[in-house]
Amino acid sequence: MCGIVAYTGNMKCKDILINGLKRLEYRGYDSAGIAVISNGTGRNTGLTNPEIVVVKEAGKIRILEDELKNLKIDGNCGIGHTRWATHGEPNKANAHPHLDCSGNIAVIHNGIIENYAELREELKKEGHRFISETDTEVLPHLLEKYNDKDLLSAMQKLLKKIKGSGTIVAISASQPKEIIGARITSPLVIGVSKNGNFLASDIPAVLEYTKNFITINDFETVRLTGDKVEIFDREGKKVKRVPFRVNWDIVSAEKGGYEDFMLKEIFEQPYGVEETMRGRLIDGKLNFDELNLSDKQARRLRKIQIIACGTSYHAALIGKQVIERWAKIPVEVDLSSEYRYRSPLVEEDCLFIAITQSGETIDTLAAIREAKSRGAKIVAVTNVVGSTVARESDSVIYTHAGPEIGVCATKTFTAQIIVMYLIGLYFAWKKGNIGENKFKEIISELKIIPDKIQAILDREDELKKIADKTYKYTCFLFLGRVFGLPAAMEGALKLKEISYIHAEGYAAGEMKHGPIALTDEKTVVVGIMPADTVYEKILSNIQEVKARKATIFCIVTEGDKKTEKTADYVFKIPKTLEELYAILTIIPVQLYSYYIAKNLGRNVDQPRNLAKSVTVE
Ligand code: AGP
């Protein structure tokens, strides 16, 4: 999830690009760059000798801005990019824009090119030279290869060749006033003004220059000049589109019109889950080369150890359940802060997995170093390319949820759960512990999980209503069994983090061994109880707490008629497979916690006493 901005018109574009990138920094901030069509002499005297000037830097936008302060770059047509790395470390060489061999074409891209490895080999054989580790760099070379007529038709040919997601924007010194853009899946908008036209991955980037925008649909291409906007459909036919007016202020625009980053990120989960499956679930097959394990090593695996903190620990608990259920490999899960001091045993044929969205959590880092000192091979599951944990691990599986700004982990959690499902499936397949039908059933169900999450998000108002009726309570118990337990624990953590109300996530069967003493008329019990094999068990636990006058809110599967006889409030989620319910049940719990905290006037993006990444012990 990177930030893209482009401009062509009668204004100088350098500052427009930098200001735009600063507005898009929440989309990615590990490296940035611009490319401007400037006159060879650097002065824009009618572009007698146009050439592309590229300036890019690793790190925050201000580093690029400082660098540009000392450079005189004149030009009215240019592109800018702020990166959230997916392939290749965050460094200057991997930063965008990327050039073709002649330096005549510059490209910026947001997304993932799934078939980049084979395209790269193909282009290398044809003499193209590559200087970065990115998937994106195949694009300028493909444009160079197809650029016989003009950049637009080259782009349309390119779209037929690549597999992947994202948006692509390109300029060429041979067409110095034109910007060519293409949308595959990720957002791209056109900004229209009398001083020129813009392309951006998000409205905030250019809102200070225009309030008139045009959206672009999947697989459409666009050609912009200073006074003309042309849009072409998938077949290359021109399409007409009328601009719409946006009356947002800049800050709310960065949140995409959502009140908080947390809410925006909750609504980005279908995208995060889809992008995390992309390139790993291909045509019903699982591709997990990133694990760097041979089939023999995979088959020989006797145990898996997972360590993590906070929300990532709850993803690890779900991982344990599906890996043991599908792959029949014993899994041990530890809190990182405990693991590092308990003199852990690191055995032969044991895979060590560290889950951390930020990749910087000190307890997890120290636990990794402890395990490595005892001979463990480390697989990191992280959302940040180039993070310390990524650099210190033997192999890395990236979640592709995009940067998470809100302190509360939401979209990175569901992306982590997807990785746990894929790891469970992968080893089940490699060890021959799963039948073809079951394997196919799970894969086809995973493919529609993003739609099922969206269906839940579309009914957020129901959860707001339940929160409006229960936010004044002072004690919350989240109950679950088996796959519902980690979701219950995560629910309690979310509520604690942002509402500051005491909450516990508990195994429902444990209630009568103590915590039931807590329940009275001041208590809300949230039951995570999808239609799985333990449904009846948890229903009777809910009836036990109901008898002690607690207020009951249950998350159940559509079609459930029984629970509403006991519960005060019920929210129904779509049906799915027993093992996959955790990723659906967590969504209503996130929204419920969010609305309770909002009703209490809390700052949900920066809750008290918490940091997005805990880098102290
Ligand atoms: C979750 O909402 C919290 N931000 C916190 O518990 C977090 O999950 C924990 O600090 C672990 O962070 P990590 O995944 O970046 O390692």
Side-chain angles (χ1 to χ4, degrees):
M1 194 177 185
C2 308
I4 276 180
V5 62
Y7 168 76
T8 177
N10 54 28
M11 300 187 283
K12 295 272 169 277
C13 68
K14 187 174 86 176
D15 295 345
I16 293 173
L17 298 176
I18 283 294
N19 294 342
L21 291 180
K22 281 198 267 185
R23 293 254 167 255
L24 290 169
E25 200 155 20
Y26 65 89
R27 295 180 65 90
Y29 39 73
D30 60 40
S31 53
I34 66 169
V36 173
I37 301 208
S38 172
N39 197 326
T41 60
R43 262 189 333 284
N44 182 14
T45 53
L47 297 176
T48 51
N49 173 18
E51 64 173 6
I52 294 185
V53 177
V54 173
V55 183
K56 48 188 185 174
E57 288 295 337
K60 297 257 175 181
I61 307 282
R62 76 175 174 287
I63 298 169
L64 174 68
E65 190 177 17
D66 294 348
E67 177 62 22
L68 283 167
K69 277 207 188 87
N70 325 328
L71 296 173
K72 193 169 177 351
I73 300 179
D74 269 345
N76 305 68
C77 177
I79 57 178
H81 182 274
T82 176
R83 185 168 186 239
W84 180 257
T86 58
H87 294 76
E89 294 271 321
N91 58 28
K92 200 166 173 174
N94 292 337
H96 300 203
H98 289 285
L99 293 171
D100 67 333
C101 299
S102 66
N104 185 50
I105 296 173
V107 169
I108 51 179
H109 166 235
N110 162 31
I112 295 172
I113 307 295
E114 288 167 34
N115 58 342
Y116 82 97
E118 65 240 43
L119 289 171
R120 199 177 164 106
E121 286 321 304
E122 216 178 280
L123 288 160
K124 271 192 185 161
K125 288 204 190 84
E126 294 163 12
H128 290 266
R129 293 179 313 285
F130 287 80
I131 54 175
S132 82
E133 304 152 290
T134 65
D135 54 337
T136 298
E137 198 186 354
V138 293
L139 302 175
H141 293 285
L142 282 172
L143 290 174
E144 179 180 22
K145 177 177 174 182
Y146 299 139
N147 194 20
D148 43 12
K149 214 157 90 337
D150 63 20
L151 199 58
L152 175 69
S153 59
M155 181 70 87
Q156 286 158 343
K157 273 203 200 98
L158 174 150
L159 288 183
K160 296 199 168 57
K161 183 78 177 173
I162 61 169
K163 280 206 201 89
S165 70
T167 47
I168 306 166
V169 177
I171 52 174
S172 158
S174 338
Q175 290 146 248
K177 297 193 177 197
E178 277 188 18
I179 292 177
I180 303 297
R183 172 184 167 149
I184 306 169
T185 55
S186 310
L188 190 65
V189 289
I190 302 171
V192 187
S193 87
K194 57 182 180 348
N195 297 314
N197 295 313
F198 307 79
L199 272 180
S201 39
D202 229 337
I203 287 173
V206 293
L207 199 55
E208 66 187 281
Y209 304 103
T210 177
K211 294 212 178 300
N212 303 311
F213 292 89
I214 298 175
T215 49
I216 309 170
N217 301 331
D218 284 359
F219 296 96
E220 288 186 343
T221 46
V222 292
R223 175 166 50 203
L224 298 192
T225 58
D227 53 14
K228 200 165 160 200
V229 171
E230 297 165 285
I231 303 173
F232 303 84
D233 66 13
R234 195 190 271 255
E235 275 70 45
K237 269 209 315 312
K238 249 192 199 163
V239 288
K240 278 225 155 312
R241 204 152 291 144
V242 186
F244 61 91
R245 192 163 175 76
V246 168
N247 295 321
W248 285 348
D249 64 68
I250 294 266
V251 177
S252 67
E254 272 164 1
K255 292 176 185 151
Y258 290 93
E259 207 170 322
D260 304 284
F261 279 111
M262 180 181 177
L263 190 63
K264 177 172 176 269
E265 286 152 7
I266 289 174
F267 275 80
E268 284 173 347
Q269 294 184 96
Y271 167 88
V273 162
E274 190 142 21
E275 286 301 303
T276 301
M277 289 196 276
R278 188 179 295 285
R280 293 168 177 148
L281 269 186
I282 307 171
D283 311 332
K285 291 205 177 48
L286 254 176
N287 160 16
F288 242 148
D289 299 349
E290 308 128 280
L291 270 174
N292 285 340
L293 281 180
S294 67
D295 286 1
K296 194 154 160 255
Q297 286 171 315
R299 277 195 299 277
R300 236 194 14 234
L301 204 61
R302 282 185 313 104
K303 179 183 167 190
I304 293 180
Q305 167 76 56
I306 314 180
I307 55 121
C309 301
T311 292
S312 298
Y313 173 74
H314 298 146
L317 294 175
I318 294 168
K320 172 181 171 66
Q321 292 172 336
V322 289
I323 296 168
E324 290 187 345
R325 166 88 55 114
W326 293 334
K328 314 278 184 285
I329 302 172
V331 178
E332 196 168 346
V333 176
D334 271 279
L335 289 164
S336 307
S337 51
E338 287 297 308
Y339 180 87
R340 61 181 296 199
Y341 293 116
R342 73 167 177 80
S343 317
L345 303 174
V346 174
E347 295 137 76
E348 278 296 298
D349 303 325
C350 169
L351 186 70
F352 188 100
I353 301 176
I355 308 180
T356 164
Q357 83 83 18
S358 61
E360 303 298 345
T361 300
I362 203 74
D363 285 323
T364 300
L365 199 51
I368 286 172
R369 291 172 180 159
E370 179 66 26
K372 282 182 92 165
S373 69
R374 293 163 184 264
K377 283 265 167 293
I378 314 294
V379 174
V381 176
T382 183
N383 196 53
V384 182
V385 173
S387 56
T388 313
V389 166
R391 287 199 306 275
E392 295 199 10
S393 298
D394 302 286
S395 48
V396 189
I397 300 172
Y398 289 113
T399 52
H400 294 306
E404 191 170 64
I405 310 293
V407 163
C408 267
T410 53
K411 62 178 181 174
T412 52
F413 179 51
T414 43
Q416 287 167 350
I417 296 175
I418 284 290
V419 170
M420 292 296 111
Y421 290 157
L422 297 181
I423 287 179
L425 266 183
Y426 176 82
F427 286 115
W429 185 253
K430 290 295 175 191
K431 284 184 153 288
N433 287 340
I434 192 168
E436 187 151 353
N437 296 347
K438 178 72 181 173
F439 184 81
K440 285 209 170 96
E441 182 195 27
I442 296 168
I443 291 211
S444 56
E445 187 60 23
L446 280 174
K447 286 263 159 135
I448 53 176
I449 286 287
D451 301 338
K452 292 189 173 178
I453 293 176
Q454 190 58 52
I456 294 170
L457 294 170
D458 295 343
R459 294 172 30 237
E460 58 153 341
D461 52 348
E462 288 174 43
L463 294 155
K464 185 172 183 330
K465 289 200 184 89
I466 301 170
D468 293 349
K469 296 198 183 96
T470 53
Y471 75 96
K472 290 200 178 113
Y473 283 80
T474 53
C475 173
F476 284 73
L477 289 171
F478 289 74
L479 301 184
R481 279 180 176 257
V482 189
F483 293 102
L485 177 53
M489 294 163 76
E490 176 60 8
L493 177 62
K494 287 280 104 46
L495 189 64
K496 276 185 277 205
E497 281 187 276
I498 52 177
S499 72
Y500 317 150
I501 301 171
H502 180 227
E504 292 236 22
Y506 238 85
E510 267 302 285
M511 281 296 286
K512 48 191 174 297
H513 303 290
I516 197 163
L518 279 173
T519 51
D520 58 18
E521 61 290 339
K522 295 196 288 315
T523 309
V524 171
V525 171
V526 180
I528 310 286
M529 42 195 297
D532 59 16
T533 45
V534 287
Y535 169 79
E536 295 298 338
K537 299 289 175 212
I538 192 167
L539 181 57
S540 60
N541 298 132
I542 293 291
Q543 285 152 351
E544 285 155 13
V545 284
K546 182 68 187 169
R548 274 88 184 168
K549 301 197 173 32
T551 296
I552 311 291
F553 165 33
C554 293
I555 293 168
V556 300
T557 301
E558 63 201 10
D560 178 319
K561 294 257 175 303
K562 268 199 208 155
T563 311
E564 45 217 24
K565 297 195 186 78
T566 306
D568 303 281
Y569 309 103
V570 168
F571 183 86
K572 298 185 176 175
I573 59 172
K575 270 195 188 54
T576 187
L577 301 174
E578 168 154 359
E579 301 94 329
L580 304 184
Y581 267 120
I583 200 165
L584 296 185
T585 52
I586 193 60
I587 310 293
V589 166
Q590 292 167 342
L591 283 167
Y592 178 58
S593 306
Y594 171 82
Y595 283 117
I596 286 184
K598 290 300 283 180
N599 286 347
L600 294 167
R602 308 292 191 227
N603 175 346
V604 293
D605 281 346
Q606 274 135 13
R608 70 184 185 193
N609 310 341
L610 294 179
K612 183 62 189 166
S613 128
V614 182
T615 52
V616 290
E617 240 200 282

